[in-house]
Amino acid sequence: MMRAIQLAVACVAVLVATAGQMEAGIMTFDINQTWSQGNGQSDILATSISLGGAGQFTLDPGFGNQYFDFTFAGTGTFSTINSSIEGYYFLDSYSSIEFIGAGNFGDNTFTFDDWDTILVNGATAGVWGGTHDGYLGFRSDTGNFGWINYSFTRAGGVSTLTLLDGAYEDQAGVGILAGDTAVSAVPEPSSLALFGIGACVAGLGSARRRRRQEQQEATA
């Protein structure tokens, strides 16, 4: 009886652990939007862009067709480099599979608010002076690290940015690799559940066999 109780407790522990893993992993989202700014381009309206369960941010052209600014609501922020113009820091660019998280994340903020940029009064800094592809790193208002896949061109004083898709780690404070959409190293919930149930059944069956064998030996 004691062994059966111990096995039952172990089964409950496995199933509880399974339930705790049900929301662990990487969540993805799509954007697929393009904007151009600079050198006489038409003004674009401020645009609210969804990051799925990681919240949203606003892309704003500023004024005079010469600005390209980004801001998160609340305490969310983009990763930035140390270069700035007029108090606006420029967005960082990550390469594929580069780590985005604590220790590899720049979060300089504008003096009056957290506005970051790729174009200020027609001027750029960092990688934004030339055409390239990469990943923007962000930390959401709830502390989730994530990335946005982008394509950028800079020609004739015009900056054109296409935001493609992205992903974020659904556990706050856990880093993520740029471009990674794989499930975390933890097995999927369904697999854990099947494993837990199988272990319970196998364990209980083994206990019954041992008890039956002991009874047969006692009556022999």
Side-chain angles (χ1 to χ4, degrees):
M1 175 61 91
M2 181 57 67
R3 290 178 181 174
I5 293 175
Q6 291 173 338
L7 285 169
V9 171
C11 289
V12 170
V14 169
L15 294 176
V16 168
T18 299
Q21 301 290 353
M22 289 192 66
E23 295 185 359
I26 296 176
M27 310 300 290
T28 61
F29 55 85
D30 291 319
I31 300 177
N32 295 319
Q33 296 188 57
T34 299
W35 303 265
S36 293
Q37 193 60 288
N39 197 24
Q41 292 290 300
S42 299
D43 273 325
I44 54 178
L45 299 176
T47 306
S48 179
I49 301 170
S50 174
L51 301 174
Q56 62 185 24
F57 72 94
T58 299
L59 186 153
D60 193 331
F63 63 92
N65 312 319
Q66 295 291 311
Y67 291 75
F68 220 146
D69 305 329
F70 304 73
T71 188
F72 261 94
T75 58
T77 185
F78 283 97
S79 182
T80 55
I81 60 176
N82 289 325
S83 297
S84 66
I85 298 177
E86 299 178 13
Y88 292 88
Y89 285 90
F90 284 80
L91 298 180
D92 197 356
S93 175
Y94 291 85
S95 57
S96 179
I97 314 302
E98 187 175 0
F99 180 73
I100 302 172
N104 192 32
F105 192 88
D107 56 358
N108 293 298
T109 58
F110 180 47
T111 304
F112 303 107
D113 203 350
D114 188 10
W115 284 93
D116 303 312
T117 194
I118 62 174
L119 181 69
V120 178
N121 202 21
T124 62
V127 299
W128 306 105
T131 297
H132 68 285
D133 299 330
Y135 298 86
L136 303 178
F138 68 84
R139 185 178 63 239
S140 72
D141 189 44
T142 53
N144 302 90
F145 287 104
W147 54 263
I148 300 172
N149 184 18
Y150 73 84
S151 180
F152 178 80
T153 60
R154 174 74 174 171
V158 177
S159 294
T160 299
L161 178 71
T162 298
L163 300 181
L164 302 168
D165 54 16
Y168 65 93
E169 170 58 58
D170 68 358
Q171 297 184 75
V174 177
I176 189 172
L177 299 180
D180 187 15
T181 59
V183 177
S184 61
V186 178
E188 294 182 1
S190 58
S191 299
L192 282 170
L194 289 174
F195 172 78
I197 293 171
C200 291
V201 172
L204 290 173
S206 178
R208 290 195 185 98
R209 285 193 297 273
R210 285 197 301 271
R211 188 165 56 252
R212 187 181 305 115
Q213 182 177 358
E214 290 171 355
Q215 290 174 348
Q216 290 174 348
E217 290 174 352
T219 56

